[in-house]
PDB file of all heavy atoms in Angstrom:
ATOM      1  N   THR A   1     105.851 128.803  85.376  1.00  0.00           N
ATOM      2  CA  THR A   1     106.686 129.837  86.046  1.00  0.00           C
ATOM      3  C   THR A   1     106.546 129.696  87.562  1.00  0.00           C
ATOM      4  O   THR A   1     105.642 129.033  88.063  1.00  0.00           O
ATOM      5  CB  THR A   1     106.257 131.241  85.611  1.00  0.00           C
ATOM      6  OG1 THR A   1     104.926 131.469  86.134  1.00  0.00           O
ATOM      7  CG2 THR A   1     106.257 131.382  84.089  1.00  0.00           C
ATOM      8  N   PRO A   2     107.502 130.255  88.302  1.00  0.00           N
ATOM      9  CA  PRO A   2     107.372 130.230  89.776  1.00  0.00           C
ATOM     10  C   PRO A   2     106.028 130.748  90.296  1.00  0.00           C
ATOM     11  O   PRO A   2     105.480 130.128  91.240  1.00  0.00           O
ATOM     12  CB  PRO A   2     108.561 131.066  90.237  1.00  0.00           C
ATOM     13  CG  PRO A   2     109.608 130.935  89.170  1.00  0.00           C
ATOM     14  CD  PRO A   2     108.797 130.884  87.892  1.00  0.00           C
ATOM     15  N   ALA A   3     105.534 131.792  89.688  1.00  0.00           N
ATOM     16  CA  ALA A   3     104.262 132.373  90.126  1.00  0.00           C
ATOM     17  C   ALA A   3     103.111 131.363  89.864  1.00  0.00           C
ATOM     18  O   ALA A   3     102.186 131.244  90.656  1.00  0.00           O
ATOM     19  CB  ALA A   3     103.983 133.676  89.425  1.00  0.00           C
ATOM     20  N   GLN A   4     103.201 130.661  88.758  1.00  0.00           N
ATOM     21  CA  GLN A   4     102.155 129.680  88.414  1.00  0.00           C
ATOM     22  C   GLN A   4     102.227 128.475  89.394  1.00  0.00           C
ATOM     23  O   GLN A   4     101.199 127.941  89.790  1.00  0.00           O
ATOM     24  CB  GLN A   4     102.304 129.252  86.968  1.00  0.00           C
ATOM     25  CG  GLN A   4     101.916 130.374  85.975  1.00  0.00           C
ATOM     26  CD  GLN A   4     102.255 130.018  84.573  1.00  0.00           C
ATOM     27  OE1 GLN A   4     103.058 129.132  84.298  1.00  0.00           O
ATOM     28  NE2 GLN A   4     101.672 130.743  83.595  1.00  0.00           N
ATOM     29  N   VAL A   5     103.446 128.047  89.724  1.00  0.00           N
ATOM     30  CA  VAL A   5     103.591 126.964  90.689  1.00  0.00           C
ATOM     31  C   VAL A   5     102.961 127.390  92.035  1.00  0.00           C
ATOM     32  O   VAL A   5     102.284 126.606  92.717  1.00  0.00           O
ATOM     33  CB  VAL A   5     105.064 126.548  90.836  1.00  0.00           C
ATOM     34  CG1 VAL A   5     105.213 125.547  91.980  1.00  0.00           C
ATOM     35  CG2 VAL A   5     105.574 125.973  89.559  1.00  0.00           C
ATOM     36  N   LEU A   6     103.250 128.644  92.410  1.00  0.00           N
ATOM     37  CA  LEU A   6     102.706 129.174  93.676  1.00  0.00           C
ATOM     38  C   LEU A   6     101.181 129.171  93.609  1.00  0.00           C
ATOM     39  O   LEU A   6     100.515 128.793  94.596  1.00  0.00           O
ATOM     40  CB  LEU A   6     103.256 130.555  93.952  1.00  0.00           C
ATOM     41  CG  LEU A   6     102.764 131.243  95.216  1.00  0.00           C
ATOM     42  CD1 LEU A   6     103.217 130.425  96.448  1.00  0.00           C
ATOM     43  CD2 LEU A   6     103.304 132.657  95.298  1.00  0.00           C
ATOM     44  N   TRP A   7     100.591 129.531  92.469  1.00  0.00           N
ATOM     45  CA  TRP A   7      99.143 129.541  92.307  1.00  0.00           C
ATOM     46  C   TRP A   7      98.574 128.141  92.478  1.00  0.00           C
ATOM     47  O   TRP A   7      97.570 127.931  93.161  1.00  0.00           O
ATOM     48  CB  TRP A   7      98.788 130.098  90.940  1.00  0.00           C
ATOM     49  CG  TRP A   7      97.374 129.845  90.557  1.00  0.00           C
ATOM     50  CD1 TRP A   7      96.904 128.883  89.709  1.00  0.00           C
ATOM     51  CD2 TRP A   7      96.223 130.557  91.017  1.00  0.00           C
ATOM     52  NE1 TRP A   7      95.545 128.929  89.605  1.00  0.00           N
ATOM     53  CE2 TRP A   7      95.084 129.934  90.405  1.00  0.00           C
ATOM     54  CE3 TRP A   7      95.992 131.638  91.867  1.00  0.00           C
ATOM     55  CZ2 TRP A   7      93.776 130.417  90.623  1.00  0.00           C
ATOM     56  CZ3 TRP A   7      94.733 132.086  92.104  1.00  0.00           C
ATOM     57  CH2 TRP A   7      93.614 131.480  91.512  1.00  0.00           C
ATOM     58  N   VAL A   8      99.199 127.145  91.858  1.00  0.00           N
ATOM     59  CA  VAL A   8      98.699 125.779  91.938  1.00  0.00           C
ATOM     60  C   VAL A   8      98.680 125.332  93.392  1.00  0.00           C
ATOM     61  O   VAL A   8      97.698 124.744  93.892  1.00  0.00           O
ATOM     62  CB  VAL A   8      99.566 124.829  91.073  1.00  0.00           C
ATOM     63  CG1 VAL A   8      99.164 123.366  91.337  1.00  0.00           C
ATOM     64  CG2 VAL A   8      99.384 125.142  89.592  1.00  0.00           C
ATOM     65  N   ASN A   9      99.808 125.591  94.113  1.00  0.00           N
ATOM     66  CA  ASN A   9      99.859 125.178  95.515  1.00  0.00           C
ATOM     67  C   ASN A   9      98.817 125.924  96.360  1.00  0.00           C
ATOM     68  O   ASN A   9      98.213 125.332  97.253  1.00  0.00           O
ATOM     69  CB  ASN A   9     101.237 125.449  96.092  1.00  0.00           C
ATOM     70  CG  ASN A   9     102.275 124.422  95.643  1.00  0.00           C
ATOM     71  OD1 ASN A   9     101.937 123.255  95.497  1.00  0.00           O
ATOM     72  ND2 ASN A   9     103.492 124.846  95.398  1.00  0.00           N
ATOM     73  N   LEU A  10      98.601 127.166  96.075  1.00  0.00           N
ATOM     74  CA  LEU A  10      97.652 127.988  96.839  1.00  0.00           C
ATOM     75  C   LEU A  10      96.244 127.439  96.634  1.00  0.00           C
ATOM     76  O   LEU A  10      95.482 127.267  97.582  1.00  0.00           O
ATOM     77  CB  LEU A  10      97.751 129.436  96.441  1.00  0.00           C
ATOM     78  CG  LEU A  10      96.761 130.408  97.147  1.00  0.00           C
ATOM     79  CD1 LEU A  10      97.090 130.486  98.616  1.00  0.00           C
ATOM     80  CD2 LEU A  10      96.841 131.791  96.495  1.00  0.00           C
ATOM     81  N   VAL A  11      95.920 127.185  95.380  1.00  0.00           N
ATOM     82  CA  VAL A  11      94.523 126.752  95.079  1.00  0.00           C
ATOM     83  C   VAL A  11      94.252 125.329  95.619  1.00  0.00           C
ATOM     84  O   VAL A  11      93.266 125.072  96.277  1.00  0.00           O
ATOM     85  CB  VAL A  11      94.303 126.788  93.552  1.00  0.00           C
ATOM     86  CG1 VAL A  11      92.987 126.094  93.209  1.00  0.00           C
ATOM     87  CG2 VAL A  11      94.283 128.239  93.083  1.00  0.00           C
ATOM     88  N   THR A  12      95.191 124.388  95.321  1.00  0.00           N
ATOM     89  CA  THR A  12      94.923 123.024  95.700  1.00  0.00           C
ATOM     90  C   THR A  12      95.025 122.816  97.214  1.00  0.00           C
ATOM     91  O   THR A  12      94.256 122.041  97.804  1.00  0.00           O
ATOM     92  CB  THR A  12      95.899 122.087  94.982  1.00  0.00           C
ATOM     93  OG1 THR A  12      97.259 122.483  95.291  1.00  0.00           O
ATOM     94  CG2 THR A  12      95.694 122.163  93.482  1.00  0.00           C
ATOM     95  N   SER A  13      95.968 123.488  97.892  1.00  0.00           N
ATOM     96  CA  SER A  13      96.099 123.293  99.313  1.00  0.00           C
ATOM     97  C   SER A  13      94.916 123.886 100.103  1.00  0.00           C
ATOM     98  O   SER A  13      94.496 123.315 101.115  1.00  0.00           O
ATOM     99  CB  SER A  13      97.412 123.982  99.809  1.00  0.00           C
ATOM    100  OG  SER A  13      98.523 123.380  99.216  1.00  0.00           O
ATOM    101  N   SER A  14      94.394 125.001  99.654  1.00  0.00           N
ATOM    102  CA  SER A  14      93.303 125.662 100.388  1.00  0.00           C
ATOM    103  C   SER A  14      91.932 125.095 100.078  1.00  0.00           C
ATOM    104  O   SER A  14      91.026 125.250 100.819  1.00  0.00           O
ATOM    105  CB  SER A  14      93.312 127.174 100.090  1.00  0.00           C
ATOM    106  OG  SER A  14      93.111 127.404  98.706  1.00  0.00           O
ATOM    107  N   THR A  15      91.774 124.341  98.975  1.00  0.00           N
ATOM    108  CA  THR A  15      90.483 123.860  98.594  1.00  0.00           C
ATOM    109  C   THR A  15      90.386 122.350  98.554  1.00  0.00           C
ATOM    110  O   THR A  15      89.411 121.749  99.018  1.00  0.00           O
ATOM    111  CB  THR A  15      90.049 124.410  97.238  1.00  0.00           C
ATOM    112  OG1 THR A  15      91.004 124.034  96.225  1.00  0.00           O
ATOM    113  CG2 THR A  15      89.943 125.938  97.280  1.00  0.00           C
ATOM    114  N   LEU A  16      91.421 121.680  97.980  1.00  0.00           N
ATOM    115  CA  LEU A  16      91.291 120.245  97.723  1.00  0.00           C
ATOM    116  C   LEU A  16      91.661 119.378  98.921  1.00  0.00           C
ATOM    117  O   LEU A  16      90.900 118.540  99.380  1.00  0.00           O
ATOM    118  CB  LEU A  16      92.137 119.881  96.501  1.00  0.00           C
ATOM    119  CG  LEU A  16      91.707 120.538  95.171  1.00  0.00           C
ATOM    120  CD1 LEU A  16      92.635 120.034  94.053  1.00  0.00           C
ATOM    121  CD2 LEU A  16      90.249 120.251  94.859  1.00  0.00           C
ATOM    122  N   GLY A  17      92.894 119.556  99.419  1.00  0.00           N
ATOM    123  CA  GLY A  17      93.412 118.642 100.433  1.00  0.00           C
ATOM    124  C   GLY A  17      92.602 118.589 101.700  1.00  0.00           C
ATOM    125  O   GLY A  17      92.468 117.530 102.310  1.00  0.00           O
ATOM    126  N   LEU A  18      92.057 119.745 102.119  1.00  0.00           N
ATOM    127  CA  LEU A  18      91.283 119.751 103.364  1.00  0.00           C
ATOM    128  C   LEU A  18      90.076 118.898 103.321  1.00  0.00           C
ATOM    129  O   LEU A  18      89.590 118.476 104.383  1.00  0.00           O
ATOM    130  CB  LEU A  18      90.909 121.190 103.701  1.00  0.00           C
ATOM    131  CG  LEU A  18      92.046 122.166 104.001  1.00  0.00           C
ATOM    132  CD1 LEU A  18      91.520 123.576 104.287  1.00  0.00           C
ATOM    133  CD2 LEU A  18      92.867 121.694 105.188  1.00  0.00           C
ATOM    134  N   ALA A  19      89.512 118.610 102.170  1.00  0.00           N
ATOM    135  CA  ALA A  19      88.314 117.810 102.071  1.00  0.00           C
ATOM    136  C   ALA A  19      88.495 116.418 102.624  1.00  0.00           C
ATOM    137  O   ALA A  19      87.542 115.816 103.108  1.00  0.00           O
ATOM    138  CB  ALA A  19      87.826 117.753 100.590  1.00  0.00           C
ATOM    139  N   LEU A  20      89.740 115.880 102.541  1.00  0.00           N
ATOM    140  CA  LEU A  20      89.964 114.512 103.024  1.00  0.00           C
ATOM    141  C   LEU A  20      89.846 114.364 104.535  1.00  0.00           C
ATOM    142  O   LEU A  20      89.660 113.276 105.053  1.00  0.00           O
ATOM    143  CB  LEU A  20      91.338 114.037 102.564  1.00  0.00           C
ATOM    144  CG  LEU A  20      91.486 113.841 101.051  1.00  0.00           C
ATOM    145  CD1 LEU A  20      92.908 113.502 100.682  1.00  0.00           C
ATOM    146  CD2 LEU A  20      90.518 112.763 100.529  1.00  0.00           C
ATOM    147  N   ALA A  21      89.905 115.487 105.244  1.00  0.00           N
ATOM    148  CA  ALA A  21      89.758 115.463 106.712  1.00  0.00           C
ATOM    149  C   ALA A  21      88.357 115.056 107.093  1.00  0.00           C
ATOM    150  O   ALA A  21      88.113 114.589 108.230  1.00  0.00           O
ATOM    151  CB  ALA A  21      90.126 116.793 107.326  1.00  0.00           C
ATOM    152  N   PHE A  22      87.381 115.253 106.188  1.00  0.00           N
ATOM    153  CA  PHE A  22      85.968 114.951 106.487  1.00  0.00           C
ATOM    154  C   PHE A  22      85.532 113.655 105.889  1.00  0.00           C
ATOM    155  O   PHE A  22      84.360 113.349 105.826  1.00  0.00           O
ATOM    156  CB  PHE A  22      85.085 116.102 105.961  1.00  0.00           C
ATOM    157  CG  PHE A  22      85.441 117.437 106.505  1.00  0.00           C
ATOM    158  CD1 PHE A  22      86.251 118.320 105.769  1.00  0.00           C
ATOM    159  CD2 PHE A  22      84.964 117.849 107.747  1.00  0.00           C
ATOM    160  CE1 PHE A  22      86.593 119.531 106.291  1.00  0.00           C
ATOM    161  CE2 PHE A  22      85.274 119.070 108.234  1.00  0.00           C
ATOM    162  CZ  PHE A  22      86.101 119.928 107.544  1.00  0.00           C
ATOM    163  N   GLU A  23      86.499 112.817 105.454  1.00  0.00           N
ATOM    164  CA  GLU A  23      86.143 111.558 104.819  1.00  0.00           C
ATOM    165  C   GLU A  23      85.521 110.632 105.822  1.00  0.00           C
ATOM    166  O   GLU A  23      86.075 110.366 106.908  1.00  0.00           O
ATOM    167  CB  GLU A  23      87.405 110.919 104.226  1.00  0.00           C
ATOM    168  CG  GLU A  23      87.201 109.749 103.344  1.00  0.00           C
ATOM    169  CD  GLU A  23      86.437 110.054 102.076  1.00  0.00           C
ATOM    170  OE1 GLU A  23      86.574 111.214 101.576  1.00  0.00           O
ATOM    171  OE2 GLU A  23      85.684 109.238 101.596  1.00  0.00           O
ATOM    172  N   PRO A  24      84.327 110.058 105.522  1.00  0.00           N
ATOM    173  CA  PRO A  24      83.731 109.098 106.476  1.00  0.00           C
ATOM    174  C   PRO A  24      84.518 107.799 106.491  1.00  0.00           C
ATOM    175  O   PRO A  24      85.309 107.504 105.622  1.00  0.00           O
ATOM    176  CB  PRO A  24      82.301 108.866 105.875  1.00  0.00           C
ATOM    177  CG  PRO A  24      82.447 109.212 104.445  1.00  0.00           C
ATOM    178  CD  PRO A  24      83.490 110.300 104.341  1.00  0.00           C
ATOM    179  N   ALA A  25      84.271 106.969 107.545  1.00  0.00           N
ATOM    180  CA  ALA A  25      84.983 105.715 107.683  1.00  0.00           C
ATOM    181  C   ALA A  25      84.629 104.786 106.488  1.00  0.00           C
ATOM    182  O   ALA A  25      83.488 104.745 106.037  1.00  0.00           O
ATOM    183  CB  ALA A  25      84.602 105.019 108.998  1.00  0.00           C
ATOM    184  N   GLU A  26      85.637 104.098 105.998  1.00  0.00           N
ATOM    185  CA  GLU A  26      85.430 103.205 104.888  1.00  0.00           C
ATOM    186  C   GLU A  26      84.617 101.939 105.324  1.00  0.00           C
ATOM    187  O   GLU A  26      84.657 101.563 106.472  1.00  0.00           O
ATOM    188  CB  GLU A  26      86.762 102.725 104.288  1.00  0.00           C
ATOM    189  CG  GLU A  26      87.494 103.852 103.548  1.00  0.00           C
ATOM    190  CD  GLU A  26      88.659 103.358 102.774  1.00  0.00           C
ATOM    191  OE1 GLU A  26      88.682 102.144 102.428  1.00  0.00           O
ATOM    192  OE2 GLU A  26      89.630 104.113 102.508  1.00  0.00           O
ATOM    193  N   ARG A  27      83.942 101.377 104.365  1.00  0.00           N
ATOM    194  CA  ARG A  27      83.218 100.134 104.602  1.00  0.00           C
ATOM    195  C   ARG A  27      84.205  99.026 105.024  1.00  0.00           C
ATOM    196  O   ARG A  27      85.264  98.894 104.429  1.00  0.00           O
ATOM    197  CB  ARG A  27      82.451  99.748 103.342  1.00  0.00           C
ATOM    198  CG  ARG A  27      81.589  98.516 103.477  1.00  0.00           C
ATOM    199  CD  ARG A  27      81.019  98.155 102.149  1.00  0.00           C
ATOM    200  NE  ARG A  27      80.316  99.287 101.533  1.00  0.00           N
ATOM    201  CZ  ARG A  27      79.970  99.307 100.243  1.00  0.00           C
ATOM    202  NH1 ARG A  27      80.247  98.324  99.439  1.00  0.00           N
ATOM    203  NH2 ARG A  27      79.339 100.356  99.763  1.00  0.00           N
ATOM    204  N   GLY A  28      83.855  98.285 106.094  1.00  0.00           N
ATOM    205  CA  GLY A  28      84.747  97.199 106.494  1.00  0.00           C
ATOM    206  C   GLY A  28      85.886  97.652 107.345  1.00  0.00           C
ATOM    207  O   GLY A  28      86.810  96.863 107.619  1.00  0.00           O
ATOM    208  N   ILE A  29      85.874  98.896 107.846  1.00  0.00           N
ATOM    209  CA  ILE A  29      87.019  99.366 108.630  1.00  0.00           C
ATOM    210  C   ILE A  29      87.167  98.601 109.959  1.00  0.00           C
ATOM    211  O   ILE A  29      88.281  98.472 110.468  1.00  0.00           O
ATOM    212  CB  ILE A  29      86.877 100.894 108.889  1.00  0.00           C
ATOM    213  CG1 ILE A  29      88.217 101.477 109.369  1.00  0.00           C
ATOM    214  CG2 ILE A  29      85.786 101.180 109.903  1.00  0.00           C
ATOM    215  CD1 ILE A  29      88.226 103.006 109.427  1.00  0.00           C
ATOM    216  N   MET A  30      86.027  98.076 110.471  1.00  0.00           N
ATOM    217  CA  MET A  30      86.105  97.317 111.716  1.00  0.00           C
ATOM    218  C   MET A  30      86.247  95.794 111.484  1.00  0.00           C
ATOM    219  O   MET A  30      86.009  95.054 112.441  1.00  0.00           O
ATOM    220  CB  MET A  30      84.876  97.628 112.568  1.00  0.00           C
ATOM    221  CG  MET A  30      84.904  99.016 113.160  1.00  0.00           C
ATOM    222  SD  MET A  30      86.293  99.310 114.304  1.00  0.00           S
ATOM    223  CE  MET A  30      85.679  98.473 115.760  1.00  0.00           C
ATOM    224  N   THR A  31      86.608  95.407 110.313  1.00  0.00           N
ATOM    225  CA  THR A  31      86.896  94.010 110.072  1.00  0.00           C
ATOM    226  C   THR A  31      88.385  93.844 109.736  1.00  0.00           C
ATOM    227  O   THR A  31      88.832  92.725 109.471  1.00  0.00           O
ATOM    228  CB  THR A  31      86.078  93.436 108.888  1.00  0.00           C
ATOM    229  OG1 THR A  31      86.367  94.199 107.708  1.00  0.00           O
ATOM    230  CG2 THR A  31      84.637  93.510 109.236  1.00  0.00           C
ATOM    231  N   ARG A  32      89.146  94.928 109.782  1.00  0.00           N
ATOM    232  CA  ARG A  32      90.599  94.830 109.523  1.00  0.00           C
ATOM    233  C   ARG A  32      91.292  94.363 110.816  1.00  0.00           C
ATOM    234  O   ARG A  32      90.821  94.642 111.904  1.00  0.00           O
ATOM    235  CB  ARG A  32      91.167  96.167 109.147  1.00  0.00           C
ATOM    236  CG  ARG A  32      90.551  96.818 107.942  1.00  0.00           C
ATOM    237  CD  ARG A  32      91.156  98.217 107.745  1.00  0.00           C
ATOM    238  NE  ARG A  32      90.494  98.964 106.717  1.00  0.00           N
ATOM    239  CZ  ARG A  32      90.719 100.244 106.470  1.00  0.00           C
ATOM    240  NH1 ARG A  32      91.621 100.878 107.229  1.00  0.00           N
ATOM    241  NH2 ARG A  32      90.075 100.915 105.552  1.00  0.00           N
ATOM    242  N   PRO A  33      92.403  93.667 110.649  1.00  0.00           N
ATOM    243  CA  PRO A  33      93.214  93.350 111.867  1.00  0.00           C
ATOM    244  C   PRO A  33      93.857  94.603 112.398  1.00  0.00           C
ATOM    245  O   PRO A  33      94.076  95.584 111.653  1.00  0.00           O
ATOM    246  CB  PRO A  33      94.227  92.365 111.306  1.00  0.00           C
ATOM    247  CG  PRO A  33      94.369  92.666 109.879  1.00  0.00           C
ATOM    248  CD  PRO A  33      92.964  93.110 109.431  1.00  0.00           C
ATOM    249  N   PRO A  34      94.161  94.641 113.683  1.00  0.00           N
ATOM    250  CA  PRO A  34      94.856  95.827 114.248  1.00  0.00           C
ATOM    251  C   PRO A  34      96.159  96.105 113.576  1.00  0.00           C
ATOM    252  O   PRO A  34      96.877  95.188 113.093  1.00  0.00           O
ATOM    253  CB  PRO A  34      95.046  95.423 115.684  1.00  0.00           C
ATOM    254  CG  PRO A  34      94.059  94.390 115.979  1.00  0.00           C
ATOM    255  CD  PRO A  34      93.883  93.634 114.728  1.00  0.00           C
TER     256      PRO A  34
END
């Protein structure tokens, strides 16, 4: 239902997506070409 879709967006946007902002640099990030 629309309310359930709103709930999914509210829960995942406020808890899940923000965690990727704190992701450490990947291994080998300074061996990639520019």
Side-chain angles (χ1 to χ4, degrees):
T1 66
Q4 290 171 342
V5 172
L6 181 62
W7 166 260
V8 172
N9 283 325
L10 179 65
V11 170
T12 57
S13 297
S14 60
T15 58
L16 298 181
L18 294 178
L20 293 175
F22 302 97
E23 190 66 31
E26 290 190 24
R27 184 185 306 166
I29 195 171
M30 288 298 282
T31 60
R32 303 176 188 171

